[in-house]
Amino acid sequence: MAKPSKTPVVFAPWEDETQKPIIQFKNVTKRFGNFTAIDNLSLDIFEREFFALLGPSGCGKTTIMRMLAGFEAVTEGTILLGGKDISPVPPNKRPVNMMFQSYALFPHLSVWDNIAFGLRRSSMPKDEIGARVDEMLRLTRMEKFAKRKPHQISGGQRQRVALARSLAKAPKLLLLDEPLGALDKKLRHDTQFELMDIQEKTGTTFVIVTHDQEEAMTVASRVAVMDHGKLIQVATPAAIYETPNCVYVADFIGDVNLIEGNSKKVGSDKYEVSWAEGQAALHGSCPREIADGTRVTYAIRPEKVAISADKPKDAANAIQGTVHDIAYLGNISTYHVMLPNGQVIKAQESNTRRLANRHFTWEDPVWLSFTDTAGVILTE
Amino acid sequence: MRRFSWFNATSLTLGFAFLYLPMLILIIYSFNGGRNVAIWAGFSTKWYGELFRDQAFLDAAWVTLRVGLMSSTLATILGTMAAYVIVRGGRFKGRTVMSGMLYAPIVMPEVITGLSLLLLFIAIGLDRGLVTIVLAHTTFTMCFVSVVVSSRLVTFDQSLEEAALDLGCTPWDAFKSVTLPIIAPAVISGWLLAFTLSLDDLVLASFVSGPSSTTLPIKIFSAVRLGVSPKINALSTLMIAIVAIGVISASLINKRSVTKRLKDEQEAAAS
Ligand SMILES: Nc1ncnc2c1ncn2[C@@H]1O[C@H](COP(=O)(O)OP(=O)(O)OP(=O)(O)O)[C@@H](O)[C@H]1O
Ligand SMILES: [Mg+2]
């Protein structure tokens, strides 16, 4: 699932002090009346990034896009594009194109004319426009529908036309508001790779809104997890998944087991979490300093939890429980194991054997085990 | 389907008779061969012939046509602009009051509108004639255009304009190449409505017309005072035809675009 990096050097401009970001949000606040949609947000996005915004409905993703495209003015703070404040620049003068969440296709124009709309208003010579539109149609596999009007095509096809229209002008910055939501899985995967390919070739910077975590993980160079107009964590997909900075992010991205307990420092960055009476404490690490006795959450992904009939000899963490439920998902099975205190922990195993000779079944007593680096200790 | 009872049939007949019998009689008598309007003397179209040889009537018709074309075009431009600002201008101070004031002239007695316009023209020293009638008609028909156009604009998806701006249009270009083509049916039916209203206006025109610029309704009204001539019947029949065509096509254009929009939305929802 990880992005195939063709360049030998790791692409991480956000770690390079000398790199200048293409977009800078500086303490941006946006209010609608007395409702705060974006709350004191600061963010740098770098050239050639594929930046994904992730968050629950209504958290302000579209608002960020609309401020970048120039449809909403910031209430406080500044947005810099290439080092210049963009607030006085009208939308039609910004080197930015946006794909609208509602597609916003022109109903009186054919698919072809919709895609050509922006090109006709650029400096592109007439004879090149046709070739460019055809290229976009090919890319989105809409060649057959070029002459149709938007109301004569399906929802997914409309989404592809909207995508083609925003890609056509090859802008410096492309804003895609849920560009692939209406496509089936196969087409979505293909289009994701097309987008990454376009980005590879043209060096465009992408900001993409998505509800699909897997999509964010596949395409993004960095992911921003948002909630209520605030950025909760901005990091690479792997970092977001492996080292979330709070319970909200851990819970929002992927599946996770959360065990609450009290922490106690045992090594330089090693901690013990006592989580239930009469149970061995869990061992884990946290880069931050935690005062002894703090209420913390131990977060561990189901695929990092091993399940066995006997207690493993040298596991850092081992807990006994009984199999409560089994969810068979084809390639993997998820075991829901009930602990003595009533909490249910999920453990994932890949199904290397056939269903018939599966290890465990309902009500079996089992041991769950994981290493002391598999889980993270979260204080928030 | 409910049965069509004799009660419904009678109501319908009575209602429509009440509405259209006078006009029907007028139309029938316009084909009367005799001079006396009240006595039927055989079918003839001679009064139509007479009408087209009467220079005074032709002049009045020419004035009416020019006034109608100019005032309805002007009213359509102004009315569309007003509707656009009221619906799209965002929330500016006094917006509610202004949108109310835009529609007030519809219910204002025409006599008052006519009188105040007359006073205005006298005050600024504008001679009464074609120009004053055009101005007066523009004043009172533009609110009708506004009503028609703004009812279409409120259902217009604003993100279409934003998309046009995003793709490099200036605001005027976006209006011209996206908004206007989409709201065109409403604008056209607003124009037709303004044209028909201007065509049959008597009250305003009698306040602001001058001796050299008599419109048809004024001409008819003054001719009738000297006695109803069959020529007037013929003329009135022609005007009924023109107005009917105008009103029917205005409503057809609007209805077609509404049904088309509904169909599009259904198709969009279904897909
Ligand atoms: N024009 C507006 N006036 C008032 N409130 C608004 C306006 N636009 C957005 N909001 C509010 O701002 C918040 C953020 O909206 P936004 O459209 O950015 O959400 P989103 O993250 O894109 O959600 P979704 O995933 O559902 O698209 C929402 O609570 C919304 O109700
Ligand atoms: Mg949104």
Side-chain angles (χ1 to χ4, degrees), chain A residues 66 69 71 91-92 96-98 100 102 104-108 117-118 121 151 153-155 158 165 169, chain B residues 157 159-171 173 177-178 181-182 260 264 267-269 271:
Chain A
R66 290 175 58 81
F71 303 127
N92 51 320
V96 173
N97 279 151
M98 173 157 168
F100 288 73
S102 62
L105 297 179
F106 305 126
H108 59 300
F117 192 92
R121 280 154 186 83
H151 65 88
I153 56 179
S154 76
R158 256 174 249 163
R165 189 178 69 180
K169 283 182 90 172
Chain B
D157 180 8
S159 64
L160 293 179
E161 270 167 27
E162 289 175 345
L165 292 177
D166 190 64
L167 293 166
C169 284
T170 59
D173 190 14
S177 50
V178 173
I182 297 172
K260 185 158 172 288
D264 290 356
E267 276 174 16
S271 59

